[in-house]
Every structure is written in structure tokens, then in C-alpha cells.
Amino acid sequence: MASSPTFLMRLVSSSVSVANRAGGIIRSILKTGSLGVVDKGESGQFDPQTEADRASQKCIIGSLLKTYPTLQIIGEEEDVHLGNVKDEFIEASQDVDVLSKLCPEDLVSVKPEDVTVWVDPLDGTREFTEGLYDHVTVLIGISMNGKPIAGVIHQPFYGYEKEMQGIELGRTMWGVRGLGTFGFTHVPPPTGRRIITTTRSHLNKTVVDAIEAMKPDQILKAGGAGYKVILLLEGKADAYVFASAGCKRWDTCACEALLEAVNGTLTDVCGEHIKYDGQADSYVNKTGVLASLKDHDFYVSMIPETIKSSLLGKL
């Protein structure tokens, strides 16, 4: 008799189904033409939030809490609890493809109290408001003991530029440490190439100086951590460099999980792994983000020491 799916694989299967549902909500809100944009930025920095961000978070957190009431979930937007989530937002289904996979042996005994779920309900909000829909992702990361063990990246508008008739928009990529990645074709980067992807909307002198120090063959400016990591996973870029504070742990947890599942690496610019600690006083990745599929130590060494010292000095 086949054994029942482990808690972790059930949680990942729920997360895939919930991410798909959240993507549908985001597309539906876009069709209304009323995004309900508010500015939650500080110190004069524009940081948009839309009705799609808010509704997507209610769907994701409400649905996961409905199935797993004791989960610790940290989301980007306002607090969500079952009392303020309408039934229409609840997605209770599980993805059968995930449930068909065997859980890695070292994760079989994972329990709800062992994990923290990190949710960015709409990564790339600014790009969403500007019509750059391929940059938009939904991110659900699962960490244990401060380290990512599984992640889901959903692209709600995947395929929209081709206007594929009769084919549902969107795709969902997921991965588990020790099991691998699914939902896309991983393309290893070619040897000798150095294409860097970085932010398109949060450039500053430190970020620019770090990229120039890499001596890149090409720079791809993109919105959202999720989309930039997709560029790595699909072999379109070789490293993701953001030498500045600002990126949050809900931006990078799912991304790091998928990268590690294909032997990639995500750290800060000093080469230190980000700790996904739900008890932290701040969720900002204060020493930036550096991600790659190979030669990670090389990219860390290319970041000027003055930049590393400057970011460390601001802690």
C-alpha cells in the first residue's frame, strides 16, 4: 500500500494550487481596469500596492490557514486571518502532480511547527501597473531552521504576448530541496558568458558600481526578484546582482529554494546566506542579493570590498 503524502509535499501541493488561484485573481482584477493603486512608500520613494496585491494575499494566506491552521505565514501586505477572508478567496484543492512525487528522505518528518511560509502575493507591482506583465510573479517560499526547503513561483501572465487562443495563461514553477524543479525547462548557462540581471526601478550608485565591477557582456534590467531568478533558471542570465538594501525575505525565499534545487546559489553580496527567521525584527535583506547558477564565489569576489563594507556598515 502506498504511504500517504508527507506534510511538506501536501503543503507544496496546496501552495501550487493556491498560487494558480491567486494568478487568476490578479488577471481578473486587471480586466476590471481598476487597480486601486495606493502608495505605501516611505521617504518619498514610490512603492505601489494594488487591489491585486491585497486580494492575492488574502487568497494565499487565507487558503493555507484554512488547511493548515497552525502555520506561521509572513506576507508582504497587511495582516490576513481567516476572519477577514471571504469564502470566495479560499482554494482548498491540492496539485496532484506534486502529490505524486516522493518527499526527500531528510524532509519526511517535517511538521507544521517546523516551517515558516513567506508570501509575496504580487512581486513586480510597479511593472504590473506599467503593463510589463511578464515581470509579475506570485512567490510562496517555505523555510525550516532559517533555510529555504521548497518554493513556488507562479507567472500569471505567462504567454500573454503570444495571444494564444484557447490556452490558459500562466505557469507555475516549483521545487523542493533534494527533489528538483518542475513546471519549466531548466537551461544551464553557457561557459564564458556574463549576462547580469538587476533592478529596473531601484538603481542607485552602489548597484551600478557593483554591476560595472562584474564587467558584464550584457545587462538585463527587470522588475521583481521572481522574474530575475526565472531569467537565471532558464539560462537567459548568469547572475542576479542587487547591491543595496530593499529586497525582502518574501522576495527571495521561494527564489532561493528553486535555485538550490538546480544547484544554484542565492546569498547577500558578501556571500552570506540570508536567514529566513520568522522572529527577525526586520525582513529586509540589508546587504543586498547575489544569485547565480554556477561560479558563485567568483561573483562574490567581483563585488568591490568598498561596497561590501558600506552595506555592512549600515546594519
Side-chain angles (χ1 to χ4, degrees):
M1 179 183 295
S3 59
S4 300
T6 63
F7 161 70
L8 178 62
M9 297 309 290
R10 286 188 289 114
L11 177 57
V12 175
S13 71
S14 295
S15 298
V16 168
S17 290
V18 168
N20 288 333
R21 177 68 178 280
I25 290 171
I26 292 168
R27 290 190 297 269
S28 296
I29 289 173
L30 178 65
K31 286 180 180 178
T32 70
S34 178
L35 297 184
V37 179
V38 298
D39 183 5
K40 52 175 194 168
E42 300 175 358
S43 304
Q45 297 240 343
F46 180 55
D47 185 11
Q49 180 201 77
T50 71
E51 179 57 30
D53 294 78
R54 298 184 287 273
S56 176
Q57 175 145 313
K58 286 179 180 178
C59 170
I60 295 167
I61 296 182
S63 297
L64 292 179
L65 286 177
K66 185 79 172 179
T67 306
Y68 313 98
T70 62
L71 271 185
Q72 179 181 31
I73 307 176
I74 299 173
E76 178 176 11
E77 310 306 343
E78 69 268 14
D79 288 340
V80 173
H81 52 84
L82 284 175
N84 65 3
V85 178
K86 297 178 181 177
D87 289 343
E88 65 194 68
F89 284 131
I90 300 298
E91 177 59 55
S93 69
Q94 294 187 317
D95 185 86
V96 295
D97 183 53
V98 178
L99 293 179
S100 71
K101 305 292 192 296
L102 287 177
C103 184
E105 193 170 330
D106 65 322
L107 300 175
V108 166
S109 61
V110 173
K111 302 181 292 296
E113 58 267 30
D114 297 331
V115 304
T116 301
V117 179
W118 300 83
V119 174
D120 189 336
L122 198 163
D123 188 38
T125 300
R126 180 175 297 202
E127 286 69 30
F128 178 60
T129 65
E130 295 174 359
L132 298 172
Y133 302 123
D134 51 340
H135 296 232
V136 174
T137 60
V138 174
L139 303 174
I140 304 175
I142 301 167
S143 68
M144 182 176 70
N145 298 326
K147 299 178 180 179
I149 57 172
V152 176
I153 301 178
H154 174 73
Q155 281 185 292
F157 300 102
Y158 180 75
Y160 84 97
E161 289 181 322
K162 297 178 182 177
E163 298 181 350
M164 294 183 288
Q165 299 298 318
I167 299 177
E168 186 176 353
L169 292 180
R171 67 168 171 175
T172 302
M173 312 159 72
W174 64 276
V176 176
R177 187 184 74 193
L179 179 63
T181 55
F182 305 86
F184 70 104
T185 300
H186 167 53
V187 179
T191 301
R193 189 189 68 177
R194 198 176 306 162
I195 297 177
I196 305 298
T197 184
T198 192
T199 180
R200 64 176 291 272
S201 55
H202 295 92
L203 286 170
N204 58 38
K205 186 178 185 305
T206 304
V207 174
V208 172
D209 288 349
I211 294 167
E212 289 180 350
M214 297 282 176
K215 299 180 172 56
D217 299 320
Q218 186 180 354
I219 301 170
L220 301 179
K221 295 178 182 178
Y227 183 62
K228 288 189 275 288
V229 167
I230 289 173
L231 294 177
L232 296 182
L233 292 169
E234 296 192 322
K236 297 172 183 174
D238 302 295
Y240 161 23
V241 181
F242 183 61
S244 181
C247 203
K248 311 293 197 306
R249 291 173 203 183
W250 45 70
D251 294 313
T252 53
C253 185
C255 295
E256 184 172 349
L258 264 71
L259 276 171
E260 290 204 340
V262 295
N263 298 316
T265 308
L266 188 150
T267 66
D268 68 6
V269 298
C270 301
E272 297 295 325
H273 281 277
I274 296 161
K275 186 172 178 59
Y276 298 91
D277 183 354
Q279 307 304 317
D281 59 353
S282 171
Y283 301 131
V284 178
N285 298 333
K286 296 180 181 178
T287 44
V289 177
L290 180 62
S292 64
L293 280 172
K294 63 180 183 179
D295 303 326
H296 194 75
D297 290 343
F298 166 77
Y299 288 109
V300 172
S301 72
M302 293 288 282
I303 300 286
E305 291 299 323
T306 52
I307 291 177
K308 296 174 184 175
S309 299
S310 174
L311 292 174
L312 288 169
K314 294 177 182 178
L315 293 178

